[in-house]
Amino acid sequence: MKLRALPVLAGAAVLALGLAACSGNASAAPGEDTAAATSGYAVDDHTLVFGVVPDSVDTETNYQPLMDYIAEVTGKDVEYHESTDYAALIEAAIAGKIDVASFSGFTYVTATNNGAELTPISSIVTKEGQEPGYYSVAIAPKDSAVKTIEDFAGKKVCFVDPSSTSGYLFPSYNLLEAGIDPKTDITPVFAGKHDVSVLKTGEGVECEVGFAEDSEVAKSEDVKIIAETMVPGAPLVVSTKLPKDVASVITDALAEVTIDDIIAAGITSADSEGFRSVFYATKPVDDTYYDLIRDICKKTEAEQCKG
């Protein structure tokens, strides 16, 4: 069974490059350097903090060439920040501890609903000719008798994280559409990362069925696909607290960049099989592109959506 792909909104218009960013007037926390706190940077004006959704064991390796590219075009050190979970990343964004980030769509909506000052720039595509977007995949062990989403009722179901777009929000919507209340009709198990959700589902012990994004499902021979739903592409975002000139440089650099552009900029590590498997180019998106997620938030009544 293949679920009808939900329509991704046609709001992926080119983001205006002149961000309405300000240099910020954040108050210094106790013991924090006042100049750094009021500069608009998460740390200081020599450093950009790059935050990521902690969704697989290869996250840092996957993003290193992109971080090196940001360092090259801005002339600043780029510090990798991987939070312990989605909630911690959201809290870091709200607290102004992130300058640039790769979020999931749901994480972006949740963070901005709760006061994070972020602007989406673009979304990564992994193949030539692609549009932003990827699949939330319902899976079961390869030898399972499960054939449809309706068969998930009463089972131990692996999700990724309560703030994961393809690993919780869209799965919850799809379960509701199948007449299954994700709060009462199943036993939820939160695996923490997409690859772990696939692993646990394939083992069939902690989880009898599950959900994860398509890129991680494709790596496993132990699960079968029950259904899939397309979701809006994950955004690269920039803090609107950054000085306007810095935010503009980052936006220009990340709005429409290809892997060849990154290699041409001197980032030789981008010319690797690993990076090519997760990155081909970026395509611009804006805030309205994520209205579909806001709509699904309302339909699922997800607590994480609320500000």
Side-chain angles (χ1 to χ4, degrees):
M1 172 185 178
K2 181 172 181 178
L3 294 178
R4 176 178 60 85
L6 292 171
V8 177
L9 298 184
V14 176
L15 180 68
L17 297 180
L19 292 179
C22 62
S23 58
N25 292 303
S27 299
E32 186 178 28
D33 179 76
T34 303
T38 57
S39 68
Y41 294 91
V43 177
D44 56 46
D45 59 6
H46 302 294
T47 309
L48 293 171
V49 178
F50 187 89
V52 298
V53 170
D55 59 2
S56 80
V57 293
D58 298 322
T59 301
E60 183 172 5
T61 301
N62 291 345
Y63 281 105
Q64 190 61 55
L66 191 60
M67 291 188 290
D68 292 344
Y69 175 65
I70 295 170
E72 177 66 25
V73 299
T74 62
K76 300 182 184 297
D77 295 329
V78 177
E79 180 180 300
Y80 178 75
H81 177 96
E82 181 175 337
S83 301
T84 54
D85 56 26
Y86 286 61
L89 178 62
I90 291 167
E91 290 173 5
I94 294 169
K97 296 179 180 179
I98 301 294
D99 296 308
V100 192
S102 177
F103 275 15
S104 71
F106 191 19
T107 306
Y108 164 71
V109 169
T110 302
T112 53
N113 280 352
N114 286 278
E117 297 180 48
L118 305 169
T119 295
I121 300 171
S122 58
S123 183
I124 294 171
V125 297
T126 58
K127 294 179 181 178
E128 186 175 4
Q130 275 187 344
E131 291 300 319
Y134 59 107
Y135 285 94
S136 170
V137 184
I139 54 177
K142 195 170 184 178
D143 59 356
S144 171
V146 171
K147 294 182 178 179
T148 68
I149 287 283
E150 286 77 8
D151 295 334
F152 281 35
K155 289 186 167 47
K156 294 179 289 185
V157 181
C158 249
F159 296 103
V160 176
D161 184 278
S163 294
S164 171
T165 311
S166 59
Y168 185 71
L169 181 64
F170 276 72
S172 295
Y173 174 79
N174 288 333
L175 288 170
L176 287 170
E177 288 290 287
I180 301 170
D181 189 329
K183 297 178 181 178
T184 60
D185 296 339
I186 61 168
T187 300
V189 178
F190 290 102
K193 296 178 184 290
H194 287 272
D195 51 352
V196 179
S197 181
V198 174
L199 176 65
K200 289 181 181 294
T201 301
E203 292 172 342
V205 179
E206 288 184 66
C207 304
E208 298 169 275
V209 291
F211 294 92
E213 68 175 45
D214 54 349
S215 62
E216 293 299 333
V217 173
K219 298 175 184 177
S220 175
E221 297 180 353
D222 298 323
V223 298
K224 62 181 180 180
I225 295 175
I226 302 302
E228 55 186 13
T229 304
M230 194 170 193
V231 304
L236 292 172
V237 301
V238 64
S239 168
T240 57
K241 291 183 178 181
L242 285 173
K244 186 175 180 179
D245 59 337
V246 176
S248 294
V249 169
I250 295 169
T251 300
D252 287 349
L254 298 182
E256 290 187 275
V257 63
T258 68
I259 191 168
D260 290 338
D261 294 332
I262 293 175
I263 294 169
I267 312 305
T268 57
S269 61
D271 192 13
S272 66
E273 184 178 347
F275 189 59
R276 286 186 180 278
S277 71
V278 298
F279 188 99
Y280 173 75
T282 61
K283 294 198 174 182
V285 297
D286 63 9
D287 182 74
T288 62
Y289 177 67
Y290 297 98
D291 283 347
L292 175 59
I293 289 177
R294 296 182 177 99
D295 185 48
I296 300 298
C297 275
K298 293 177 183 177
K299 292 177 181 176
T300 59
E301 299 182 344
E303 288 295 322
Q304 293 81 1
C305 299
K306 300 175 183 177

